[in-house]
Amino acid sequence: MHTIFPKSSMTLLDTIATIGLLFFLFMVGLELDLKEIQKSGKIAATIALSGIVVPFLGGIGVSTLMKKAFNLNTDLGPLIVFVGVPVSITAFPVLVRIMAERRVLGTKLGRMVIPAAAINDVCAWILLAVGVAIAGHSKNPATPAYVLISGIGFVTFMLVVVRRYMCWVAHRVNGQGAVREIYVLITLVAVLLSAFATDLIGIHSLFGAFVFGLVVPPEGHFAKMLIEKIEDFITVLMLPLFFASSGLKTNLGSINSGKGVGVLFLLIFTATVGKMAASVAVGIFFKLNIHEAFGLGFLMNTKGLAELIVLNIGLDIGVLDEESFAILVLMCLILMFFTTPGLMAFYKPARNPVPYTQRKLEGSYLKKDEFRILACVYGTRSIPALLNLVEACRCTNNKRPVKLFPLHLTELSERTLSIINLSRAAGQEAVPTKVCSRDDDIFVAFDAYSRISKVSVRPMSVVSQLPVMHYDICNAAAEKRAMVIILPYDVYQKEDGTFEHVNNPGFKSVSQRVMQQAPCSVCVLVDRGPWSSVQLSNTLSSQKVAIIFFGGADDREALAFGCTLAEHPCMKVWILRFIPARMVAIDIDNVADTESDRKRDEEAIAALNIVAVDGDDGSSQGIYYEEHAYEGDAARAVYTLVCASDFLLLLVGRQSIRLHHRDNSELGAIGDFLANAGPEMKSSVLVIQQHNSSFPQDHNTTA
């Protein structure tokens, strides 16, 4: 240690780490939306305050014991603050990430915890300011009062004057395409000036940076741009220096007596029992069950960076000595380690008790039940094609109402922006979802559509890691009792015919896992241009749609979807049934299943003919039927036919009983061929998989 980190280098290390902390605390302040905190209500305030007061009172007793046991040469008041704060506060960023990984966000418990933790975080920095103020070395008893009054004046000035100016800056930036460097410079210098002001007052400089983060408007492009510019430098380079500095200051060898170990266990007991008892009692009072109440207690007992910052400040100003500092750091680490196992052991999210019966379109499109669609959106590029598809599903006589749940998918990363998205996405919907911000371009698009159509639209968002994102999508579909999930394809065709990948390649595996585990039917929408350029809500001309029908459960689902589209007055639907010129030999073990599928295919076509001739309104629904024989490659036969036609959209079943093999991609053999066809084919493709569609496990068929 003395070779790599000589004592003369520690001052420089601490200075750089402090600068990194200043800007990190500025980003933490950006995470917290003062408007949301003000609207959090009495439940969140009660959980937060009880979770602070009860363990803080226990910390008073432990502080008294520590002062006597370790002969600390400090006043009792500052010691109470610097022991009570780590014992009682909650680490907000760590809490949000744990809840996201355990998929607790958006549940009843998550909607209670997030605003309570935000209030807790603000209280922590207020308590820290008080602790630093009363720990000053001045012998004048009026000095702490002067520091506190000056601190209140500083906060008031920031909230009244600086906030208005930053709102003006954010408004100007949000209205421009590019951000001028002068505004970035003003903001970064203001962080340093705020830190300097609070340090000059006698409160720690970190408090000033945190308060300035609070007064910067968190919504809109400006806040996101600031974080994108500074977070990599701060979190990758500067912040680890603080952890290194904290580790170098933590001498576990100083806990060399039974007295120190006893105090450690007493602190853990006080923090755990105090926080758990208060949280469980409040949770039960607000009608949580016992498992949810204990989950609330474990989550509110989360420790992290905020506690380490408080302890380092306490060590620097002489309130804590080496042994007490090491004990408190070890307490925080132990409590942090037990948060996730405790949550997993005591809490299991409850499922929606509402019956979920309509999981597919086949057999239900004639019932005129509510058509509930969960549409996944990665970005704005897929919205026009999606809205056209929803509009085509809307029956103008409103006999089959459509309810749309757009689900905006965002990858959860280590970036601060992900934590901000999570903390704002923990609101009012199932899974880690919430109604989207009104400044979100995606929400604006769906909100505009809901105003001009008769479709009920409830936008939601989810921020999740890609390996588990399919769980959140499937849970959202089950919670909303969706009849179909619509997934966007990650490849789009440009006007020149070339293809463009617009999403993270990892989203492809998300789509594949959704299709394997979805609680309802799934569609993948491949937008090849013309379909998204036509606005069905503003046109009276007929639009041609084709259903590619070979046979099987997925093709029957495509048939049912096509019948839904045929109810729209502008939709003319062609059923293109492909029949092999020579019969294909089938595995003897699967003959019964194949014959059953063929029988159901004929029944579906027969029922369709009745509907086409005599619709509900006594008129034809615009459904046309053609049969085409083919030899050899089925995909090539489909491609040749649709290229000679002017269909805007092709409905394709993912798998078919008549094909020689079963494709494991998310599009299937026919869908994959059409999606990647050349520019001569202009039709967009909707690949459909029916819920619980069954296929032989052994695919060794021969021609």
Side-chain angles (χ1 to χ4, degrees):
M1 175 178 169
H2 292 294
T3 302
I4 301 176
F5 296 103
K7 194 170 183 180
S8 59
S9 70
M10 294 304 296
T11 301
L12 179 61
L13 180 65
D14 289 343
T15 302
I16 298 175
T18 300
I19 295 175
L21 275 181
L22 288 178
F23 286 98
F24 182 79
L25 265 294
F26 165 69
M27 292 192 294
V28 171
L30 273 178
E31 291 180 25
L32 303 176
D33 191 338
L34 288 178
K35 295 178 182 178
E36 294 295 328
I37 293 177
Q38 292 171 357
K39 295 187 297 184
S40 56
K42 65 177 182 179
I43 296 179
T46 303
I47 294 173
L49 295 179
S50 63
I52 290 177
V53 171
V54 175
F56 193 89
L57 292 176
I60 295 176
V62 179
S63 302
T64 305
L65 180 63
M66 289 178 64
K67 181 174 174 59
K68 295 180 180 179
F70 301 133
N71 296 317
L72 296 177
N73 186 24
T74 183
D75 294 334
L76 183 60
L79 182 62
I80 289 174
V81 173
F82 282 94
V83 173
V85 169
V87 166
S88 59
I89 65 174
T90 302
F92 183 70
V94 179
L95 170 71
V96 173
R97 187 167 295 279
I98 289 175
M99 294 177 69
E101 292 175 352
R102 304 317 310 168
R103 293 187 292 281
V104 179
L105 284 168
T107 63
K108 180 181 178 181
L109 176 61
R111 291 191 291 271
M112 295 175 67
V113 169
I114 289 296
I119 296 173
N120 199 304
D121 213 28
V122 174
C123 292
W125 299 112
I126 294 175
L127 288 173
L128 173 63
V130 173
V132 174
I134 64 177
H137 298 291
S138 175
K139 300 299 182 180
N140 189 344
T143 300
Y146 161 78
V147 172
L148 291 176
I149 293 173
S150 300
I152 294 172
F154 169 79
V155 173
T156 304
F157 175 78
M158 297 292 287
L159 293 176
V160 175
V161 178
V162 178
R163 181 175 177 81
R164 291 184 179 179
Y165 175 73
M166 294 309 300
C167 287
W168 176 81
V169 171
H171 178 73
R172 286 182 60 87
V173 171
N174 293 336
Q176 299 173 354
V179 180
R180 294 175 58 188
E181 290 184 359
I182 185 64
Y183 295 129
V184 179
L185 175 64
I186 289 173
T187 304
L188 298 183
V189 171
V191 174
L192 298 176
L193 290 177
S194 300
F196 173 74
T198 50
D199 190 58
L200 189 65
I201 289 171
I203 305 174
H204 201 277
S205 57
L206 296 179
F207 182 74
F210 174 75
V211 172
F212 183 72
L214 284 178
V215 302
V216 176
E219 63 276 355
H221 175 62
F222 183 56
K224 293 180 181 179
M225 178 275 304
L226 286 174
I227 293 174
E228 288 173 352
K229 284 185 176 294
I230 67 174
E231 72 166 325
D232 285 339
F233 178 70
I234 298 301
T235 58
V236 175
L237 178 63
M238 304 288 278
L239 197 59
L241 295 179
F242 168 74
F243 287 108
S245 175
S246 297
L248 292 172
K249 296 174 184 176
T250 305
N251 181 12
L252 296 181
S254 62
I255 311 175
N256 53 12
S257 65
K259 183 167 51 178
V261 175
V263 170
L264 172 62
F265 280 103
L266 181 60
L267 281 168
I268 295 173
F269 178 82
T270 301
T272 303
V273 173
K275 184 75 77 171
M276 293 289 293
S279 300
V280 170
V282 173
I284 292 176
F285 177 78
F286 286 114
K287 297 182 171 48
L288 292 179
N289 61 46
I290 189 66
H291 295 287
E292 291 174 328
F294 271 97
L296 174 65
F298 277 107
L299 287 172
M300 293 302 293
N301 203 29
T302 304
K303 305 300 178 187
L305 178 63
E307 289 78 4
L308 286 181
I309 294 174
V310 172
L311 294 177
N312 274 272
I313 293 173
L315 180 65
D316 291 340
I317 64 177
V319 175
L320 303 175
D321 65 1
E322 187 180 60
E323 184 176 5
S324 58
F325 174 79
I327 290 173
L328 287 164
V329 169
L330 199 56
M331 174 208 71
C332 293
L333 292 175
I334 293 173
L335 291 178
M336 182 181 66
F337 293 154
F338 277 100
T339 299
T340 300
L343 178 67
M344 294 172 62
F346 282 89
Y347 175 69
K348 304 292 181 184
R351 294 300 174 202
N352 189 356
V354 178
Y356 186 15
T357 55
Q358 298 295 337
R359 297 172 180 260
K360 59 184 179 181
L361 289 167
E362 184 186 4
S364 65
Y365 70 92
L366 292 176
K367 297 179 182 179
K368 307 304 178 187
D369 293 330
E370 188 177 56
F371 191 12
R372 305 172 72 88
I373 302 173
L374 182 78
C376 298
V377 181
Y378 302 137
T380 56
R381 179 65 179 80
S382 62
I383 292 179
L386 173 62
L387 291 181
N388 255 357
L389 185 61
V390 175
E391 176 64 22
C393 296
R394 183 171 67 89
C395 183
T396 53
N397 57 19
N398 208 31
K399 289 185 177 180
R400 186 184 178 86
V402 176
K403 195 161 191 176
L404 176 63
F405 300 94
L407 185 64
H408 183 200
L409 306 178
T410 305
E411 181 185 4
L412 172 63
S413 66
E414 299 299 322
R415 301 176 71 88
T416 300
L417 199 55
S418 285
I419 299 179
I420 292 179
N421 289 335
L422 276 172
S423 63
R424 294 173 191 164
Q428 300 127 6
E429 295 294 337
V431 303
T433 60
K434 71 164 283 216
V435 174
C436 302
S437 167
R438 293 192 174 269
D439 292 290
D440 189 344
D441 293 338
I442 292 176
F443 173 82
V444 171
F446 285 107
D447 182 58
Y449 174 70
S450 67
R451 293 176 185 273
I452 64 175
S453 70
K454 297 180 180 180
V455 176
S456 173
V457 180
R458 293 292 304 276
M460 305 182 297
S461 65
V462 56
V463 186
S464 182
Q465 295 172 319
L466 290 183
V468 296
M469 185 176 284
H470 62 287
Y471 288 118
D472 298 324
I473 297 172
C474 294
N475 288 341
E479 189 72 22
K480 298 305 177 185
R481 306 189 309 284
M483 193 176 294
V484 64
I485 299 172
I486 300 178
L487 300 169
Y489 195 52
D490 63 345
V491 177
Y492 295 90
Q493 184 174 348
K494 298 180 181 179
E495 293 181 359
D496 59 1
T498 60
F499 294 94
E500 175 188 9
H501 290 266
V502 296
N503 297 319
N504 186 327
F507 281 112
K508 183 179 180 68
S509 60
V510 173
S511 298
Q512 292 172 342
R513 287 190 289 267
V514 169
M515 301 194 85
Q516 293 170 1
Q517 303 184 27
C520 60
S521 294
V522 182
C523 302
V524 179
L525 180 58
V526 183
D527 179 20
R528 294 177 59 92
W531 172 256
S532 59
S533 62
V534 175
Q535 295 186 7
L536 291 180
S537 58
N538 296 328
T539 183
L540 297 177
S541 60
S542 297
Q543 310 298 326
K544 295 176 63 176
V545 175
I547 304 170
I548 309 301
F549 191 89
F550 286 87
D554 291 349
D555 283 11
R556 291 194 300 274
E557 193 74 359
L559 190 66
F561 202 111
C563 291
T564 300
L565 300 183
E567 296 180 359
H568 194 281
C570 294
M571 290 286 102
K572 299 301 178 184
V573 178
W574 268 256
I575 301 172
L576 307 180
R577 188 174 189 182
F578 287 82
I579 301 175
R582 291 183 301 170
M583 296 304 295
V584 179
I586 300 175
D587 190 345
I588 191 66
D589 294 334
N590 302 317
V591 169
D593 291 339
T594 304
E595 290 301 325
S596 173
D597 264 322
R598 285 177 175 170
K599 182 178 179 181
R600 295 179 66 181
D601 292 343
E602 298 301 330
E603 291 173 351
I605 295 294
L608 173 68
N609 289 335
I610 296 173
V611 174
V613 174
D614 186 16
D616 289 344
D617 56 358
S619 62
S620 172
Q621 285 185 280
I623 299 179
Y624 305 88
Y625 178 82
E626 297 177 2
E627 290 187 357
H628 299 271
Y630 72 93
E631 290 186 6
D633 189 350
R636 176 65 62 178
V638 174
Y639 171 75
T640 302
L641 180 61
V642 299
C643 281
S645 306
D646 55 349
F647 297 113
L648 276 182
L649 181 67
L650 304 177
L651 274 60
V652 182
R654 180 169 176 252
Q655 305 289 1
S656 173
I657 62 171
R658 294 191 185 277
L659 299 184
H660 297 184
H661 67 282
R662 194 177 162 200
D663 195 277
N664 291 322
S665 71
E666 73 268 34
L667 299 182
I670 301 294
D672 188 67
F673 189 93
L674 296 176
N676 295 285
E680 58 274 8
M681 196 194 86
K682 302 296 184 181
S683 307
S684 294
V685 183
L686 184 69
V687 179
I688 303 174
Q689 173 186 276
Q690 187 181 79
H691 176 61
N692 279 343
S693 58
S694 58
F695 293 91
Q697 296 300 314
D698 184 5
H699 308 145
N700 297 324
T701 59
T702 57

